[in-house]
CSV table of all heavy atoms in Angstrom, one decimal:
chain,number,residue,atom,x,y,z
A,1,ALA,N,74.2,-17.9,184.7
A,1,ALA,CA,74.5,-16.4,184.3
A,1,ALA,C,73.3,-15.7,184.1
A,1,ALA,O,73.2,-14.6,184.5
A,1,ALA,CB,75.3,-16.5,182.9
A,2,TYR,N,72.2,-16.3,183.6
A,2,TYR,CA,71.0,-15.5,183.4
A,2,TYR,C,70.4,-15.1,184.8
A,2,TYR,O,69.8,-14.1,184.9
A,2,TYR,CB,69.9,-16.4,182.8
A,2,TYR,CG,70.0,-16.5,181.3
A,2,TYR,CD1,69.6,-17.6,180.6
A,2,TYR,CD2,70.4,-15.4,180.4
A,2,TYR,CE1,69.6,-17.6,179.2
A,2,TYR,CE2,70.5,-15.3,179.2
A,2,TYR,CZ,70.1,-16.4,178.4
A,2,TYR,OH,70.2,-16.6,177.0
A,3,PHE,N,70.5,-16.0,185.8
A,3,PHE,CA,70.0,-15.8,187.2
A,3,PHE,C,70.8,-14.6,187.7
A,3,PHE,O,70.2,-13.8,188.4
A,3,PHE,CB,70.2,-16.9,188.0
A,3,PHE,CG,69.4,-16.8,189.3
A,3,PHE,CD1,68.1,-17.1,189.4
A,3,PHE,CD2,70.1,-16.4,190.5
A,3,PHE,CE1,67.4,-16.9,190.5
A,3,PHE,CE2,69.5,-16.3,191.7
A,3,PHE,CZ,68.1,-16.5,191.8
A,4,GLU,N,72.0,-14.5,187.5
A,4,GLU,CA,72.8,-13.3,188.0
A,4,GLU,C,72.4,-12.1,187.5
A,4,GLU,O,72.4,-11.0,188.1
A,4,GLU,CB,74.4,-13.6,187.6
A,4,GLU,CG,75.1,-14.7,188.3
A,4,GLU,CD,75.3,-14.3,189.7
A,4,GLU,OE1,75.7,-13.1,190.0
A,4,GLU,OE2,75.2,-15.2,190.6
A,5,LYS,N,71.9,-12.1,186.2
A,5,LYS,CA,71.3,-10.8,185.7
A,5,LYS,C,69.9,-10.8,185.8
A,5,LYS,O,69.2,-9.8,185.2
A,5,LYS,CB,71.7,-10.7,184.1
A,5,LYS,CG,73.2,-10.9,183.9
A,5,LYS,CD,74.1,-9.8,184.5
A,5,LYS,CE,73.8,-8.4,183.8
A,5,LYS,NZ,74.8,-7.4,184.4
A,6,ARG,N,69.2,-11.6,186.5
A,6,ARG,CA,67.8,-11.6,186.7
A,6,ARG,C,67.0,-11.7,185.4
A,6,ARG,O,65.8,-11.2,185.4
A,6,ARG,CB,67.4,-10.4,187.6
A,6,ARG,CG,68.0,-10.4,189.0
A,6,ARG,CD,67.5,-9.1,189.8
A,6,ARG,NE,66.2,-9.4,190.2
A,6,ARG,CZ,65.8,-10.0,191.3
A,6,ARG,NH1,66.7,-10.6,192.0
A,6,ARG,NH2,64.6,-10.0,191.7
A,7,ARG,N,67.5,-12.4,184.4
A,7,ARG,CA,66.7,-12.7,183.2
A,7,ARG,C,65.9,-13.9,183.4
A,7,ARG,O,66.3,-15.0,182.8
A,7,ARG,CB,67.8,-12.7,182.1
A,7,ARG,CG,68.5,-11.4,181.8
A,7,ARG,CD,69.6,-11.4,180.8
A,7,ARG,NE,69.2,-12.0,179.5
A,7,ARG,CZ,69.8,-12.1,178.5
A,7,ARG,NH1,71.2,-11.6,178.4
A,7,ARG,NH2,69.4,-12.7,177.3
A,8,PHE,N,65.0,-13.9,184.1
A,8,PHE,CA,64.2,-15.1,184.5
A,8,PHE,C,63.4,-15.8,183.4
A,8,PHE,O,63.5,-17.0,183.3
A,8,PHE,CB,63.2,-14.7,185.7
A,8,PHE,CG,63.9,-14.1,186.9
A,8,PHE,CD1,63.4,-13.0,187.4
A,8,PHE,CD2,64.8,-14.8,187.6
A,8,PHE,CE1,64.0,-12.3,188.6
A,8,PHE,CE2,65.5,-14.3,188.7
A,8,PHE,CZ,65.0,-13.0,189.2
A,9,GLU,N,62.9,-14.9,182.5
A,9,GLU,CA,62.2,-15.6,181.3
A,9,GLU,C,63.3,-16.4,180.4
A,9,GLU,O,62.9,-17.5,180.1
A,9,GLU,CB,61.5,-14.5,180.6
A,9,GLU,CG,60.3,-13.8,181.4
A,9,GLU,CD,59.2,-14.7,181.5
A,9,GLU,OE1,59.2,-15.8,180.9
A,9,GLU,OE2,58.2,-14.2,182.1
A,10,ASP,N,64.4,-15.8,180.1
A,10,ASP,CA,65.4,-16.5,179.4
A,10,ASP,C,65.8,-17.7,180.1
A,10,ASP,O,66.1,-18.8,179.6
A,10,ASP,CB,66.6,-15.5,179.2
A,10,ASP,CG,66.2,-14.5,178.2
A,10,ASP,OD1,65.4,-14.6,177.3
A,10,ASP,OD2,66.7,-13.3,178.3
A,11,LEU,N,65.9,-17.7,181.4
A,11,LEU,CA,66.4,-18.8,182.3
A,11,LEU,C,65.4,-19.9,182.1
A,11,LEU,O,65.8,-21.1,181.8
A,11,LEU,CB,66.6,-18.4,183.7
A,11,LEU,CG,67.2,-19.3,184.7
A,11,LEU,CD1,67.7,-18.6,185.9
A,11,LEU,CD2,66.1,-20.4,185.2
A,12,ILE,N,64.2,-19.6,182.2
A,12,ILE,CA,63.2,-20.6,182.1
A,12,ILE,C,63.1,-21.3,180.8
A,12,ILE,O,63.1,-22.5,180.6
A,12,ILE,CB,61.7,-20.1,182.4
A,12,ILE,CG1,61.6,-19.6,183.9
A,12,ILE,CG2,60.6,-21.0,182.1
A,12,ILE,CD1,60.5,-18.8,184.3
A,13,THR,N,63.3,-20.6,179.7
A,13,THR,CA,63.3,-21.0,178.4
A,13,THR,C,64.4,-22.0,178.2
A,13,THR,O,64.4,-23.1,177.6
A,13,THR,CB,63.4,-19.9,177.3
A,13,THR,OG1,62.3,-19.1,177.3
A,13,THR,CG2,63.5,-20.4,175.9
A,14,THR,N,65.7,-21.6,178.7
A,14,THR,CA,66.8,-22.4,178.6
A,14,THR,C,66.7,-23.7,179.4
A,14,THR,O,67.0,-24.8,179.0
A,14,THR,CB,68.1,-21.6,179.2
A,14,THR,OG1,68.2,-20.5,178.3
A,14,THR,CG2,69.3,-22.5,178.9
A,15,ALA,N,66.0,-23.6,180.6
A,15,ALA,CA,65.9,-24.8,181.5
A,15,ALA,C,65.1,-25.9,180.9
A,15,ALA,O,65.3,-27.0,181.0
A,15,ALA,CB,65.4,-24.4,182.8
A,16,LYS,N,64.1,-25.4,180.1
A,16,LYS,CA,63.1,-26.3,179.5
A,16,LYS,C,63.8,-27.2,178.4
A,16,LYS,O,63.3,-28.4,178.1
A,16,LYS,CB,61.9,-25.6,178.9
A,16,LYS,CG,60.9,-25.1,180.0
A,16,LYS,CD,59.9,-24.3,179.5
A,16,LYS,CE,58.8,-23.9,180.5
A,16,LYS,NZ,57.7,-23.0,180.0
A,17,LYS,N,64.9,-26.6,177.9
A,17,LYS,CA,65.7,-27.5,176.9
A,17,LYS,C,66.3,-28.7,177.4
A,17,LYS,O,66.6,-29.7,176.7
A,17,LYS,CB,66.8,-26.6,176.3
A,17,LYS,CG,66.2,-25.4,175.5
A,17,LYS,CD,67.3,-24.5,174.9
A,17,LYS,CE,66.8,-23.3,174.1
A,17,LYS,NZ,67.9,-22.5,173.7
A,18,ILE,N,66.7,-28.6,178.8
A,18,ILE,CA,67.4,-29.8,179.4
A,18,ILE,C,66.6,-30.4,180.6
A,18,ILE,O,67.2,-31.1,181.3
A,18,ILE,CB,68.9,-29.3,179.8
A,18,ILE,CG1,68.6,-28.1,180.8
A,18,ILE,CG2,69.7,-29.0,178.6
A,18,ILE,CD1,70.1,-27.7,181.4
A,19,TYR,N,65.5,-29.9,180.7
A,19,TYR,CA,64.6,-30.4,181.9
A,19,TYR,C,64.5,-31.9,181.9
A,19,TYR,O,64.5,-32.5,182.9
A,19,TYR,CB,63.2,-29.7,181.8
A,19,TYR,CG,62.3,-30.1,183.0
A,19,TYR,CD1,62.4,-29.3,184.0
A,19,TYR,CD2,61.5,-31.1,182.9
A,19,TYR,CE1,61.6,-29.6,185.3
A,19,TYR,CE2,60.7,-31.4,184.1
A,19,TYR,CZ,60.7,-30.7,185.2
A,19,TYR,OH,60.0,-30.9,186.2
A,20,HIS,N,64.5,-32.6,180.8
A,20,HIS,CA,64.3,-34.0,180.6
A,20,HIS,C,65.6,-34.8,181.1
A,20,HIS,O,65.5,-36.0,181.3
A,20,HIS,CB,63.9,-34.3,179.2
A,20,HIS,CG,65.1,-34.1,178.2
A,20,HIS,ND1,65.3,-32.8,177.9
A,20,HIS,CD2,65.9,-34.9,177.7
A,20,HIS,CE1,66.3,-32.8,177.0
A,20,HIS,NE2,66.7,-34.1,176.9
A,21,LEU,N,66.7,-34.1,181.2
A,21,LEU,CA,67.9,-34.8,181.5
A,21,LEU,C,67.9,-35.1,183.0
A,21,LEU,O,67.6,-34.3,183.8
A,21,LEU,CB,69.1,-33.9,181.2
A,21,LEU,CG,69.4,-33.5,179.7
A,21,LEU,CD1,70.5,-32.6,179.6
A,21,LEU,CD2,69.5,-34.8,178.9
A,22,PRO,N,68.4,-36.4,183.4
A,22,PRO,CA,68.3,-36.8,184.8
A,22,PRO,C,69.2,-36.0,185.6
A,22,PRO,O,69.0,-35.8,186.9
A,22,PRO,CB,68.8,-38.3,184.8
A,22,PRO,CG,69.4,-38.5,183.4
A,22,PRO,CD,68.8,-37.5,182.5
A,23,GLN,N,70.3,-35.5,185.1
A,23,GLN,CA,71.2,-34.7,185.9
A,23,GLN,C,70.7,-33.4,186.3
A,23,GLN,O,71.1,-32.8,187.3
A,23,GLN,CB,72.5,-34.5,185.1
A,23,GLN,CG,73.3,-35.7,184.7
A,23,GLN,CD,72.8,-36.2,183.3
A,23,GLN,OE1,71.7,-36.0,182.9
A,23,GLN,NE2,73.8,-36.9,182.7
A,24,PHE,N,69.7,-32.9,185.6
A,24,PHE,CA,69.1,-31.6,185.8
A,24,PHE,C,68.4,-31.6,187.1
A,24,PHE,O,68.5,-30.6,187.9
A,24,PHE,CB,68.1,-31.3,184.7
A,24,PHE,CG,67.5,-30.0,184.9
A,24,PHE,CD1,68.1,-28.7,184.6
A,24,PHE,CD2,66.1,-29.7,185.3
A,24,PHE,CE1,67.6,-27.4,184.8
A,24,PHE,CE2,65.6,-28.5,185.5
A,24,PHE,CZ,66.3,-27.3,185.2
């Protein structure tokens, strides 16, 4: 959803929360 709105900084912050998960 963030990507759809081009909210790249918010997207990066959110991605870092789950980056460690193997499914990511």
Side-chain angles (χ1 to χ4, degrees):
Y2 279 150
F3 190 82
E4 288 289 323
K5 304 301 291 187
R6 301 182 69 82
R7 291 173 58 175
F8 301 126
E9 295 286 357
D10 290 327
L11 187 157
I12 291 168
T13 300
T14 302
K16 287 179 178 178
K17 296 177 184 177
I18 57 172
Y19 185 87
H20 63 285
L21 298 176
Q23 300 90 330
F24 181 77

